[in-house]
Amino acid sequence: SSAGKSFRATLFPGHGIGPEISAAVVEILEASKVPITWEEHIISVDNVKPGQDIVSREALDSVLKNGYALKGPMATPIGKGYRSLNLTLRKELGLYANVRPCKSIPGVNTAYQDVDVVTVRENTEGEYSGLEHEVAPGVVESLKVITKSASLKVAEYAFAYARANKRKMVTAVHKASVMKMSDGLFLSCAQQVAKNYPDIHYEEMLIDNAASYLVSNPGRMDVMVMPNLYGDIVSDLCAGLIGGLGLTPSGNMGKGCMMAEAVHGTAPDIQGMDMANPTALLMSALMMLRSMDLHDTADKIAKATYSVLKEAKYTTKDIGGNSSCSDYTKAIIDRIDI
Amino acid sequence: SSAGKSFRATLFPGHGIGPEISAAVVEILEASKVPITWEEHIISVDNVKPGQDIVSREALDSVLKNGYALKGPMATPIGKGYRSLNLTLRKELGLYANVRPCKSIPGVNTAYQDVDVVTVRENTEGEYSGLEHEVAPGVVESLKVITKSASLKVAEYAFAYARANKRKMVTAVHKASVMKMSDGLFLSCAQQVAKNYPDIHYEEMLIDNAASYLVSNPGRMDVMVMPNLYGDIVSDLCAGLIGGLGLTPSGNMGKGCMMAEAVHGTAPDIQGMDMANPTALLMSALMMLRSMDLHDTADKIAKATYSVLKEAKYTTKDIGGNSSCSDYTKAIIDRIDI
Ligand SMILES: CC(C)[C@H](C(=O)O)[C@@H](O)C(=O)O
Ligand SMILES: CC(C)[C@H](C(=O)O)[C@@H](O)C(=O)O
């Protein structure tokens, strides 16, 4: 346990509604007496030029040194030559696995009641290699890169996660019927790791079948591990099953550091209006607390949040409620049993 | 109209349950007095060797000559060197667009009531290029190829389809935020075609957002057009929304020919047991009838089928019923109002 320990964590408030929801989450964590000192870094996109590094060396070093970061939504400037801020952080910090648990939340109205799935996504390569070129006029190639080392790492993460969280099954999601070599390599790595986890049931499923299965039988899926782009798609699909990106947490795992983040957008249309939903960022922060072994506090905050969501009296507009971000935050704090 | 006309069509019964459901569909079509003469071609996978062409020249020429084909599910032998039969047919016949309409069916129990979407999928290139190589030990590259010509063709198909079927909107689904050049080219082609269809509302959506949107708001989506792999995933997701691949039709469109197909598997476990559900192949055959301009007959068969499904007295096991394939077939034939 982490009793008596204290932590430093980097805080990237982000853009749009980012600062508001970050403030709400920090408030909830402080009310819970979480022993975290925050190191805030503003990543500004004002006045940046194409090709320029937007994320500073100091910001990256802060995460590497502290080992923990909490990140609000960020908007990369649109246009040629701007490198995605999200992808830059994942790459520069070596965040090789992206974990997104999706569990149905009582009180949030969706078509499903029994969703409890976790997407573990390879976070650095695949279709996100950034390697593209025009072969001839009107003919473009993009490279999907799959490596044995990254595939083994993410598979190992998925199985270790399954064991630590008392999950029963890991499903490798792929399209090796078509991408025989790249997805084939990914699968063979998953198979190799599976051998070391005889306590976890291992299955494989084609990405198209998985998409169909998840909308018809989500209750029977458990932990899923997959290459980058499939993870991007499947994790958003799963988020949809439980009520959307405003509710679903995301943790990016690296060697010696993790970055928890809200993966929804910056919602500039409601910026500064005290209307944003901080739940996704809060749930992500709880993943960070669990990485710190602060399970008790994470459990208490989760319990308070679920109780507020279930009562549906203080919820925000995006999920059908009427409350402001600050009233929702206050309602959660009032119910935390410290 | 096609009054008085007659047609020849190639029939590929396929493997596993393929012959049973093909026989059921042919029976229903004949009972409806459809003026089609069938040219049956058996594509056998017995005794084939790796590298060998499984689809004969005669089979391909039959489709090209007749202009129409109906294809049951096929199973490519597993192992290195076997080329997918489905992909071979698409490629050799130049079937550049794959169309999969998914509409909620009253009586079929799912989490959604109001789905009515159509996936138009580029069917020849993208991640299905088949170009892969090992760059170094443990490092594999797969090539995604996007061309202007194929992208324009499928976009043109999608908009023409939308107009002909009185649809209001076409959404191009992409990940141009990451694959800026390849999906960027696809998008620019869609935009170019959209200009010629001012009567059709045009939108763009990221593939991850589309996956989330389709499970939370499917009723607000309409026609979608997208590169090959996204289409593979999204069309199966949509099939799941209305009850699965056993119910959803698929039409592959080429220049001067079309091939309607069931996209579900060959279900060898229930082969020969008179338990299979012929609905997907039947609905695909109706797409073929519409290509022949035989809309009246297609409407009548659809009406009879929906009535049987709604009553839920003669439906097959896979959708919660108790009937055999032949009883279900008979029930449909009994209700066709010829
Ligand atoms: C913002 C974008 C580059 C990112 C991705 O595609 O990975 C996002 O969709 C996500 O899932 O975190
Ligand atoms: C069988 C397979 C190659 C095929 C595909 O991936 O296109 C199938 O999933 C489909 O959707 O028709």
Side-chain angles (χ1 to χ4, degrees):
Chain A
S1 117
S2 288
K5 263 203 198 169
S6 72
F7 300 87
R8 293 185 71 82
T10 308
L11 180 68
F12 297 121
H15 310 130
I17 56 169
E20 303 161 52
I21 59 174
S22 298
V25 170
V26 167
E27 202 184 323
I28 293 169
L29 264 52
E30 292 189 337
S32 321
K33 311 241 178 308
V34 167
I36 296 178
T37 307
W38 297 99
E39 206 170 291
E40 186 170 308
H41 279 267
I42 311 282
I43 297 185
S44 169
V45 291
D46 299 338
N47 310 316
V48 294
K49 294 191 194 63
Q52 191 180 321
D53 281 338
I54 305 180
V55 184
S56 69
R57 190 65 251 168
E58 290 73 40
L60 297 171
D61 284 341
S62 164
V63 184
L64 294 172
K65 177 177 51 79
N66 295 329
Y68 303 97
L70 182 65
K71 172 189 158 290
M74 289 185 186
T76 307
I78 291 168
K80 248 190 150 163
Y82 293 108
R83 206 172 147 208
S84 157
L85 293 171
N86 292 305
L87 302 186
T88 303
L89 286 166
R90 289 177 199 166
K91 190 139 200 180
E92 298 294 328
L93 297 169
L95 303 169
Y96 59 83
N98 183 214
V99 186
R100 302 199 189 169
C102 284
K103 196 168 160 34
S104 295
I105 302 174
V108 176
N109 191 20
T110 68
Y112 305 88
Q113 270 76 54
D114 58 346
V115 180
D116 183 7
V117 296
V118 182
T119 308
V120 179
R121 162 184 182 186
E122 201 291 318
N123 213 20
T124 64
E125 57 178 31
E127 306 76 358
Y128 284 66
S129 73
L131 302 169
E132 298 186 288
H133 62 280
E134 188 175 48
V135 186
V139 181
V140 171
E141 279 177 6
S142 300
L143 260 55
K144 167 170 170 171
V145 177
I146 299 284
T147 67
K148 189 173 170 181
S149 57
S151 304
L152 284 174
K153 251 157 62 176
V154 75
E156 178 62 41
Y157 187 89
F159 278 95
Y161 178 96
R163 186 180 275 169
N165 290 278
K166 301 199 171 48
R167 295 276 179 169
K168 298 205 159 34
M169 178 169 73
V170 169
T171 305
V173 177
H174 67 99
K175 190 81 191 184
S177 56
V178 170
M179 279 153 282
K180 301 190 189 215
M181 290 183 70
S182 59
D183 283 7
L185 175 58
F186 186 86
L187 272 192
S188 71
C189 292
Q191 289 158 5
Q192 185 179 326
V193 174
K195 291 210 182 86
N196 302 329
Y197 290 84
D199 47 323
I200 309 288
H201 183 63
Y202 172 65
E203 287 202 351
E204 299 175 348
M205 196 181 275
L206 289 163
I207 175 69
D208 48 338
N209 293 347
S212 179
Y213 195 86
L214 278 166
V215 298
S216 21
N217 260 318
R220 293 180 55 195
M221 199 63 106
D222 196 341
V223 176
M224 297 172 280
V225 63
M226 63 200 88
N228 210 340
L229 180 71
Y230 307 154
D232 183 49
I233 301 170
V234 168
S235 60
D236 270 30
L237 189 168
C238 293
L241 296 176
I242 68 155
L245 287 178
L247 297 166
T248 49
S250 166
N252 296 281
M253 308 300 175
K255 195 162 171 279
C257 74
M258 75 86 75
M259 182 178 81
E261 63 176 345
V263 286
H264 55 69
T266 57
D269 48 318
I270 58 162
Q271 171 178 0
M273 296 169 72
D274 196 17
M275 284 174 66
N277 184 354
T279 310
L281 191 63
L282 178 60
M283 293 292 166
S284 304
L286 300 193
M287 291 181 79
M288 187 178 81
L289 297 193
R290 295 189 189 283
S291 291
M292 295 166 169
D293 251 339
L294 299 170
H295 293 285
D296 270 10
T297 316
D299 287 344
K300 283 178 180 165
I301 300 174
K303 202 178 151 201
T305 309
Y306 287 131
S307 134
V308 174
L309 287 169
K310 188 163 180 186
E311 203 195 40
K313 193 169 156 191
Y314 297 106
T315 49
T316 47
K317 249 202 167 127
D318 57 309
I319 53 168
N322 254 321
S323 286
S324 64
C325 176
S326 33
D327 284 345
Y328 174 62
T329 304
K330 213 173 298 156
I332 293 173
I333 290 175
D334 282 347
R335 294 188 197 191
I336 297 174
D337 177 27
I338 290 300
Chain B
S1 115
S2 289
K5 264 205 197 167
S6 71
F7 301 88
R8 294 184 70 84
T10 307
L11 180 68
F12 297 121
H15 310 131
I17 56 169
E20 303 162 49
I21 60 174
S22 298
V25 170
V26 167
E27 202 183 323
I28 293 169
L29 264 52
E30 292 189 338
S32 320
K33 311 242 179 307
V34 166
I36 296 178
T37 307
W38 297 99
E39 206 170 291
E40 186 170 308
H41 279 267
I42 311 282
I43 297 185
S44 169
V45 290
D46 300 337
N47 310 317
V48 293
K49 293 190 194 64
Q52 190 178 322
D53 281 338
I54 306 180
V55 183
S56 69
R57 191 64 251 168
E58 290 74 39
L60 296 171
D61 285 341
S62 163
V63 183
L64 294 172
K65 179 177 48 78
N66 295 330
Y68 303 97
L70 182 65
K71 171 188 158 292
M74 288 186 186
T76 308
I78 290 168
K80 248 189 149 161
Y82 293 108
R83 207 173 147 206
S84 156
L85 293 171
N86 291 305
L87 302 187
T88 303
L89 285 166
R90 289 178 200 165
K91 188 136 200 181
E92 298 294 327
L93 297 169
L95 302 169
Y96 60 84
N98 182 216
V99 186
R100 301 199 189 168
C102 284
K103 196 169 160 32
S104 295
I105 303 174
V108 176
N109 190 22
T110 68
Y112 303 89
Q113 269 77 53
D114 58 346
V115 180
D116 184 8
V117 296
V118 182
T119 308
V120 179
R121 163 185 181 185
E122 200 292 319
N123 213 20
T124 63
E125 57 178 29
E127 306 76 358
Y128 284 67
S129 72
L131 301 170
E132 298 187 288
H133 62 282
E134 187 174 50
V135 186
V139 181
V140 171
E141 278 177 7
S142 300
L143 260 54
K144 166 170 170 170
V145 178
I146 299 285
T147 66
K148 189 173 170 181
S149 57
S151 304
L152 284 174
K153 252 158 59 178
V154 75
E156 178 63 39
Y157 188 88
F159 278 94
Y161 178 95
R163 187 179 275 167
N165 290 277
K166 302 199 171 49
R167 295 276 179 169
K168 297 204 160 35
M169 178 169 72
V170 170
T171 304
V173 177
H174 67 98
K175 189 82 192 184
S177 56
V178 170
M179 279 153 283
K180 300 189 191 218
M181 291 183 71
S182 59
D183 283 7
L185 175 58
F186 186 86
L187 274 192
S188 70
C189 292
Q191 289 158 6
Q192 185 178 325
V193 174
K195 291 210 182 85
N196 302 329
Y197 290 84
D199 48 321
I200 309 288
H201 183 63
Y202 172 65
E203 288 204 350
E204 299 176 348
M205 196 180 274
L206 289 162
I207 174 71
D208 47 339
N209 293 348
S212 179
Y213 195 86
L214 279 167
V215 298
S216 20
N217 259 317
R220 295 180 54 195
M221 199 64 107
D222 197 339
V223 176
M224 296 171 282
V225 63
M226 63 199 90
N228 210 339
L229 180 71
Y230 308 153
D232 183 50
I233 300 170
V234 168
S235 61
D236 270 32
L237 190 168
C238 294
L241 296 175
I242 68 156
L245 287 178
L247 297 166
T248 50
S250 168
N252 296 281
M253 308 300 175
K255 197 164 172 276
C257 73
M258 75 86 74
M259 182 177 81
E261 63 176 346
V263 286
H264 55 68
T266 57
D269 48 318
I270 58 163
Q271 170 178 0
M273 295 168 73
D274 197 17
M275 285 175 66
N277 184 355
T279 310
L281 190 63
L282 177 61
M283 292 292 164
S284 304
L286 299 193
M287 290 181 80
M288 187 178 81
L289 297 194
R290 294 189 190 282
S291 289
M292 294 166 169
D293 252 338
L294 300 170
H295 294 284
D296 270 12
T297 315
D299 287 344
K300 283 178 181 165
I301 299 175
K303 202 177 152 202
T305 309
Y306 287 132
S307 134
V308 173
L309 287 169
K310 188 165 181 186
E311 201 195 43
K313 193 169 156 192
Y314 297 105
T315 49
T316 47
K317 254 211 163 116
D318 58 310
I319 54 169
N322 254 321
S323 285
S324 64
C325 176
S326 33
D327 284 344
Y328 174 63
T329 304
K330 213 172 299 157
I332 293 173
I333 291 175
D334 282 348
R335 295 188 196 190
I336 297 174
D337 177 27
I338 289 300

